[in-house]
Amino acid sequence: MLSEFGEDAKLLAGGQSLIPLMKLRYANPSHLVDLNFISGMSYIKEENEVLCLGALTRHAEIEASTACAKIPILHDCAAGIADVQVRNRGTIAGSLAEADPSGDWATVLMTLETQVGCQKGKGNRQLQLADFIKDAYTTALAHDELVSEVMVKTPPKGSGGAYLAFKRSAPVYPTASAAVQLTMEGEICKDAAIVLGCVGLTGIKARDAEAALRGQQITEKTIAVAVESARAAADPQSDMRGSADYKRTLVGSLVKRAIDVALRRARGEQVEVSHIYA
Ligand SMILES: Cc1cc2nc3c(=O)[nH]c(=O)nc-3n(C[C@H](O)[C@H](O)[C@H](O)COP(=O)(O)OP(=O)(O)OC[C@H]3O[C@@H](n4cnc5c(N)ncnc54)[C@H](O)[C@@H]3O)c2cc1C
């Protein structure tokens, strides 16, 4: 149908980004192709250490899933998106396809090994998430191609992650957010992934911050270096959510807290977190 109707046709998933844009007249598609009529697109499966999420899997289903709870950073993300109404309708694939700079899923999934399954007619391809998201509101999808599945590799033993966002209230996008995934080998951090959200046109991989932790013991000193590097990597813009300086300070604090929770989880502790609300 997408091929038949051409570039002005749009897929409709949960409608939680597209419908508000249509109401504001920022989007005016000639046709809506409703994925909700296609059966079998909503599932959560574990296959050979890979968690497979169907395109129509809702945020709320991920929040409630015991399979997803094994990767706690996924639960942190799903449980913190907006409010119950949005989580009951919105989908993980719709969020990635929208590539909103303030969207939560891309930031979180960039700390994990994530592949995006794309389908065009009968043809399939798989892209690394980093290659799928090209820019703000821009992905590698062709107009007649859809996201069919999101595949997340289970992190290794000794790995723990955390996602924290600062929000003015529940049903709004975060002012800033930080996703951290640490893999520990004894006292040494074998690997670190740190991604900053809402402080750039896409999620920002804070490579210097990651390097400050990798191969090191996680101490107050190494955390301080990582936080400073994360603040330097942020590229925020001033807007109604706060000034660029404020967001840079905020993202540093979020990284610090997320490192603490990720480390405790990597050591096997059960830690419940929620976003921070103003
Ligand atoms: C009040 C409110 C608050 C919100 N707060 C947050 C928040 O804090 N954090 C957050 O991350 N999100 C937030 N959202 C957005 C929400 O998470 C959306 O669910 C999500 O961004 C889009 O998913 P959807 O399924 O609703 O997609 P839709 O709105 O149906 O579609 C969005 C776009 O993606 C395309 N699309 C959808 N599915 C596919 C697919 N399978 N393949 C290819 N293209 C596809 C559509 O054509 C459209 O262009 C909020 C939304 C609202 C209304």
Side-chain angles (χ1 to χ4, degrees), residues 91-103:
T91 64
I92 188 166
S95 178
L96 295 181
E98 181 69 8
D100 187 318
S102 302

Side-chain angles (χ1 to χ4, degrees), residues 10-20 35 41 55 59 80-83 86 89-91 93-95 97-98 102-105 141 145-148 167 170-174:
K10 278 258 170 217
L11 286 171
L12 179 69
Q16 297 304 301
S17 292
L18 183 55
I19 300 292
L35 286 171
M41 288 193 77
H59 310 317
I81 293 176
D83 49 29
V86 172
R89 295 299 305 162
T91 64
S95 178
E98 181 69 8
S102 302
D104 291 295
W105 276 120
L141 280 177
E145 192 173 26
L146 59 82
V147 175
S148 53
K167 294 179 144 205
V172 299
Y173 286 88

Side-chain angles (χ1 to χ4, degrees), residues 70-196:
K70 291 181 198 162
I71 309 177
I73 196 169
L74 298 181
H75 182 269
D76 294 346
C77 179
I81 293 176
D83 49 29
V84 174
Q85 289 86 341
V86 172
R87 295 200 290 274
N88 278 341
R89 295 299 305 162
T91 64
I92 188 166
S95 178
L96 295 181
E98 181 69 8
D100 187 318
S102 302
D104 291 295
W105 276 120
T107 304
V108 166
L109 294 174
M110 277 171 69
T111 64
L112 302 165
E113 279 185 51
T114 305
Q115 301 257 342
V116 183
C118 305
Q119 190 172 341
K120 183 173 169 168
K122 289 197 165 46
N124 283 304
R125 59 176 179 151
Q126 280 186 15
L127 296 177
Q128 300 278 1
L129 180 57
D131 297 326
F132 176 81
I133 297 198
K134 294 283 184 198
D135 206 340
Y137 302 106
T138 310
T139 68
L141 280 177
H143 80 87
D144 53 354
E145 192 173 26
L146 59 82
V147 175
S148 53
E149 191 173 59
V150 179
M151 288 148 281
V152 182
K153 189 152 186 249
T154 309
K157 207 165 173 283
S159 194
Y163 179 61
L164 289 174
F166 179 88
K167 294 179 144 205
R168 290 166 300 146
S169 66
V172 299
Y173 286 88
T175 307
S177 66
V180 173
Q181 186 76 30
L182 301 177
T183 304
M184 301 299 293
E185 208 167 59
E187 287 306 303
I188 300 297
C189 173
K190 200 173 147 214
D191 203 4
I194 301 179
V195 180
L196 317 175

